């Protein structure tokens, strides 16, 4: 039996076309952008509007840009009618009907979602002006065509001019992903203006979204005991009340209540518990349609599950904080994703589709008390997996990622933009030796090359025009204590690894430090960012590929 919880991509044996609910899942479960129509009480009745049609390309399947509903309405795009007919026959099976029913139930649950609590501030603002949709990321070819939009030339001459730009700094990847490479689609009966090419330029597949690694908190609500005898204002339940109901617990933030009740069974009165929303609605579930619980804990769990579905409370402590230098504030894990890319890639570290990069960072003090953004890690599992597959002669098993050759440069560009937007006085990153110790020596040569050679070289290249170079930066790191991100704040440990306590804020966590707690200044790589440089970075940004056209 197929369900969306277990099966999100379906390929049929011997068929060109398949179907996928992967992007719907990414949106509803992992807070990726919504590439479909908004989910409402009306659209949940049209689940095939949220199912992508995929086409086999070698050993991989790619998005066709069509939804299953398009095919039902005879909008086939470039698909061959016989392939469409075969797909429609394939999805007449009982398994598909079960699958589409699970998608409709999934959409129904998603339509109840109203808001999110505790979502981290965005990594960077989005921008419609950027071809990649990230403020501060530009495209060299876009800028060049904007400067030559009044030029007039035949299609072949334009193509030759753009080809020559690859010798002056235009990255081949940028050109190949620009939608301008297919000259057959250009008019050949007349000369073209540069602005026509500019309008045709499309980087849709490489539009970036940056999502934080967040999960719902284990305890969505924090109930406190109700003091008896105090007057209380609340909406009473709309259903017929039980024989007796006494408010016992209340969540002061969201307004949920837990009542101790007596309810009438067929033969006698029975004790029980129930949960109520702030609007006086009895909380129920498919497993408990009456809402009557046997214990207060059961009622609290029922209320928390309801809050998680309606207005979830999130924690941003991430998944891999144990592999980091302790002692930083606002630790975050960020995923740079390509939700519109036609192929799908998944790695073993995160469940999200098409994670091009993952970045881990936090804020801490430098040697003069200045604010430094520390990049704990920058990695591209996708680029590394593609490289390994190529060495093994099996490159076709993994889709080629954009930025395959310069993902480390993209990571630095994004981190510099992030540091500037946070008014940080510097950006630092760990040394290769620190990374190797963190992972027990695994991959030591590569880690030293990445953190000690590649990243410093790229940073120097990016900031040389601002007369700033990579230098040794001394960053404060705990010596005999540890502070780690907790579910809703920070947890402090002494030098023996014993928990000292949990605090909601960074300052409260610092106040829990045991007597004698000290920090040491640790050498790392970094660049200093004065106010002028921060302003220049935000104003000018960086090119998504390369460093511009000379």
């Amino acid at each position: 039996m197929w369900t969306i919880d277990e099966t999100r991509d379906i390929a049929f044996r011997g068929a060109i076309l398949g179907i996928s609910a992967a992007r719907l899942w990414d949106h509803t479960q992992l807070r990726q952008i919504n590439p479909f129509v908004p989910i409402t009480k009306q659209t949940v009745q049209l689940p095939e509007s949220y199912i992508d049609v995929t086409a086999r390309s070698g050993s991989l399947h790619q998005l066709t840009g069509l939804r299953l509903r398009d095919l039902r309405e005879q909008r086939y795009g470039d698909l061959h009618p016989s392939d469409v007919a075969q797909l429609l026959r394939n999805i007449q099976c009982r398994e598909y009907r079960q699958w589409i029913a699970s998608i409709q139930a999934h959409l129904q649950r998603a339509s109840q979602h109203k808001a999110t609590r505790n979502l981290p501030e965005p990594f960077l603002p989005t921008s419609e002006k950027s071809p990649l949709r990230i403020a501060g990321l530009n495209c060299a070819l876009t800028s060049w065509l904007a400067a030559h939009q009044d030029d007039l030339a035949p299609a072949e001459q334009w193509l030759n001019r753009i080809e020559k730009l690859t010798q002056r700094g235009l990255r081949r990847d940028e050109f190949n992903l620009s939608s301008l490479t297919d000259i057959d689609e250009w008019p050949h009966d007349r000369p073209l203006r540069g602005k026509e090419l500019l309008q045709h330029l499309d980087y849709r597949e490489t539009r970036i979204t940056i999502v934080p690694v967040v999960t719902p908190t284990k305890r969505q609500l924090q109930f406190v005991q109700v003091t008896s005898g105090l007057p209380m204002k609340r909406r009473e339940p709309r259903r017929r009340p039980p024989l007796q109901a006494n408010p016992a617990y209340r969540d002061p933030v969201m307004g949920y209540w837990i009542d101790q009740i007596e309810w009438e069974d067929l033969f006698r009165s029975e004790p029980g518990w129930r949960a109520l929303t702030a609007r006086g609605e009895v909380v129920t579930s498919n497993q408990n349609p009456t809402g009557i619980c046997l214990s207060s804990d059961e009622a609290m769990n029922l209320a928390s599950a309801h809050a998680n579905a309606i207005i979830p409370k999130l924690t941003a402590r991430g998944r891999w904080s144990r592999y980091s230098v302790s002692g930083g504030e606002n630790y975050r894990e960020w995923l740079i994703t390509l939700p519109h890319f036609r192929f799908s890639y998944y790695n073993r570290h995160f469940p999200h589709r098409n994670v091009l990069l993952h970045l881990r960072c936090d804020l801490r003090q430098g040697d003069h008390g200045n604010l430094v953004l520390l990049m704990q890690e920058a990695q591209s599992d996708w680029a590394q997996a593609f490289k390994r597959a190529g060495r093994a002669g099996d490159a076709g098993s993994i889709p080629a990622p954009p930025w395959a050759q310069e993902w480390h440069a993209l990571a630095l560009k994004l981190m510099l933009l992030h540091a500037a937007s946070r008014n940080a006085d510097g950006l630092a990153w760990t040394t290769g030796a620190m990374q190797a110790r963190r992972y027990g020596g695994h991959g030591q040569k590569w880690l030293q090359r990445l953190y000690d050679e590649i990243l410093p070289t790229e940073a120097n290249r990016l900031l040389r025009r601002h007369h700033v170079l990579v230098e040794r930066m001394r960053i404060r790191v705990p010596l005999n204590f540890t502070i780690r991100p907790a579910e809703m704040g920070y947890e402090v440990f002494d030098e023996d690894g014993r928990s000292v306590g949990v605090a909601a804020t960074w300052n409260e966590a610092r106040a829990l430090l045991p007597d004698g707690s000290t920090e040491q200044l640790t050498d790392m790589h970094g660049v200093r960012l004065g106010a002028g440089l921060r302003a220049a970075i935000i104003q000018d940004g960086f090119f998504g590929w390369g460093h511009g056209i000379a």
Side-chain angles (χ1 to χ4, degrees):
M1 176 177 147
W2 297 339
T3 66
I4 189 175
D5 295 329
E6 299 174 352
T7 305
R8 291 184 278 284
D9 295 283
I10 299 175
F12 300 96
R13 181 176 297 179
I16 294 294
L17 301 181
I19 50 179
S20 173
R23 294 204 296 171
L24 171 63
W25 180 267
D26 261 18
H27 168 59
T28 57
Q29 302 303 108
L30 305 175
R31 292 166 182 83
Q32 183 56 275
I33 63 169
N34 181 10
F36 309 103
V37 296
I39 300 173
T40 66
K41 292 181 179 179
Q42 290 72 39
T43 60
V44 298
Q45 305 303 320
L46 304 169
E48 290 185 345
S49 299
Y50 299 89
I51 298 173
D52 283 308
V53 177
T54 61
R56 191 173 68 232
S57 176
S59 61
L60 303 171
H61 273 72
Q62 62 179 336
L63 299 177
T64 63
L66 295 170
R67 316 289 183 264
L68 191 53
R69 183 172 174 81
D70 294 327
L71 305 191
R72 296 288 194 192
E73 297 176 352
Q74 298 185 346
R75 297 193 299 270
Y76 299 168
D78 295 330
L79 301 182
H80 196 280
S82 63
D83 294 331
V84 173
Q86 183 182 27
L87 174 63
L88 296 180
R89 286 194 301 270
N90 284 333
I91 62 176
Q92 292 176 4
C93 62
R94 180 173 58 89
E95 289 85 356
Y96 172 74
R97 292 195 297 272
Q98 293 172 334
W99 187 66
I100 199 70
S102 76
I103 288 179
Q104 188 163 6
H106 184 81
L107 287 165
Q108 186 68 46
R109 292 191 296 270
S111 71
Q112 299 172 357
H113 182 267
K114 291 183 173 61
T116 300
R117 294 176 289 156
N118 207 43
L119 192 64
E121 185 178 352
F123 183 87
L124 285 171
T126 59
S127 173
E128 291 295 319
K129 295 180 179 179
S130 166
L132 305 176
R133 294 302 186 264
I134 296 294
L137 277 188
N138 310 308
C139 290
L141 187 52
T142 303
S143 300
W144 185 84
L145 283 174
H148 294 82
Q149 58 182 325
D150 293 327
D151 292 7
L152 187 66
E156 291 79 3
Q157 186 174 333
W158 276 114
L159 186 61
N160 290 335
R161 291 179 69 182
I162 294 173
E163 282 284 351
K164 291 179 180 178
L165 293 178
T166 60
Q167 302 171 17
R168 296 170 47 197
L170 176 67
R171 291 291 196 263
R172 174 64 63 178
D173 276 357
E174 179 179 347
F175 179 37
N176 290 341
L177 292 164
S178 68
S179 75
L180 292 182
T181 53
D182 191 357
I183 194 172
D184 294 335
E185 295 183 1
W186 298 9
H188 291 268
D189 57 344
R190 60 178 177 82
L192 303 173
R193 294 281 183 191
K195 61 184 177 183
E196 292 183 72
L197 274 66
L198 186 61
Q199 291 169 354
H200 187 71
L201 200 60
D202 186 2
Y203 290 98
R204 184 175 304 145
E205 280 200 66
T206 51
R207 289 177 183 173
I208 291 171
T209 62
I210 304 177
V211 295
V213 176
V214 291
T215 54
T217 59
K218 292 181 180 178
R219 176 61 69 176
Q220 286 285 316
L221 306 172
Q222 299 294 327
F223 287 101
V224 295
Q225 194 164 8
V226 174
T227 304
S228 61
L230 291 180
M232 293 173 293
K233 291 183 179 180
R234 72 170 190 170
R235 294 188 182 184
E236 291 302 321
R238 299 174 182 176
R239 296 186 180 184
R240 184 175 64 84
L243 295 178
Q244 185 177 350
N246 296 312
Y249 300 94
R250 181 173 185 263
D251 173 74
V253 176
M254 300 302 297
Y256 283 78
W257 295 83
I258 302 296
D259 284 2
Q260 189 172 18
I261 63 173
E262 285 190 19
W263 55 283
E264 196 171 61
D265 198 356
L266 185 61
F267 301 108
R268 62 185 182 277
S269 297
E270 293 283 352
W273 299 82
R274 71 178 178 189
L276 304 173
T277 69
R279 300 175 61 183
E281 299 165 334
V282 177
V283 179
T284 63
S285 68
N286 291 336
Q287 294 74 29
N288 186 351
T290 66
I292 297 174
C293 302
L294 299 179
S295 67
S296 59
D297 284 345
E298 183 184 347
M300 289 178 183
N301 290 336
L302 185 62
S304 286
H306 185 270
N308 182 37
I310 305 300
I311 310 178
K313 183 180 182 181
L314 305 178
T315 175
R317 66 174 173 178
R319 302 182 65 189
W320 307 101
S321 61
R322 64 188 182 277
Y323 297 107
S324 62
V325 179
S326 162
E329 183 179 4
N330 285 345
Y331 172 85
R332 295 287 184 266
E333 296 176 3
W334 298 99
L335 305 182
I336 287 73
T337 68
L338 302 177
H340 302 285
F341 195 65
R342 71 182 66 182
F343 294 104
S344 295
Y345 169 77
Y346 294 93
N347 67 46
R348 61 187 177 87
H349 290 113
F350 302 100
H352 304 64
R353 174 180 174 270
N354 286 349
V355 176
L356 176 68
L357 290 169
H358 65 260
L359 303 171
R360 302 193 293 117
C361 59
D362 58 38
L363 293 166
R364 58 186 67 215
Q365 286 188 337
D367 48 3
H368 300 295
N370 50 332
L371 182 66
V372 176
L373 180 68
L374 176 61
M375 182 166 64
Q376 295 270 5
E377 184 174 23
Q379 190 55 272
S380 175
D381 291 332
W382 191 355
Q384 294 297 95
F386 180 72
K387 186 176 180 179
R388 287 194 297 270
R391 287 199 299 262
D394 192 24
S397 64
I398 293 178
W403 290 280
Q405 302 301 320
E406 52 180 310
W407 62 264
H408 9 66
L410 179 64
L412 270 177
K413 293 168 185 177
L414 292 170
M415 288 301 297
L416 284 166
L417 287 165
H418 185 52
S421 69
R422 292 293 187 272
N423 284 320
D425 301 305
L427 171 67
W429 57 92
T430 52
T431 65
M434 295 173 70
Q435 292 283 338
R437 286 196 300 270
R438 175 185 296 173
Y439 295 110
H442 179 71
Q444 181 172 348
K445 288 184 178 180
W446 161 246
L447 292 171
Q448 288 179 329
R449 180 166 174 261
L450 174 61
Y451 290 91
D452 299 338
E453 298 176 22
I454 295 176
L455 291 178
T457 299
E458 290 294 344
N460 285 336
R461 190 176 291 136
L462 285 170
L463 298 177
R464 186 175 291 118
R465 63 191 177 99
H466 298 288
H467 309 291
V468 173
L469 296 175
V470 173
E471 59 182 282
R472 184 184 71 176
M473 294 185 70
R474 308 189 74 195
I475 309 299
R476 295 187 182 277
V477 174
L479 181 61
N480 55 1
F481 67 92
T482 303
I483 299 180
R484 294 288 185 199
E487 186 167 79
M488 293 309 297
Y490 303 88
E491 187 167 7
V492 180
F493 301 87
D494 65 17
E495 60 182 329
D496 296 320
R498 295 183 296 247
S499 178
V500 176
V502 177
T505 69
W506 176 251
N507 289 333
E508 290 172 354
R510 299 284 298 182
L512 291 175
L513 293 179
D515 292 340
S517 297
T518 57
E519 295 174 312
Q520 63 181 356
L521 290 169
T522 302
D523 288 346
M524 301 188 193
H525 305 293
V527 290
R528 300 190 186 274
L529 306 175
L533 179 52
R534 291 196 299 268
I537 288 174
I538 292 174
Q539 178 178 330
D540 300 337
F542 300 103
F543 290 108
W545 289 270
H547 305 280
I549 298 171

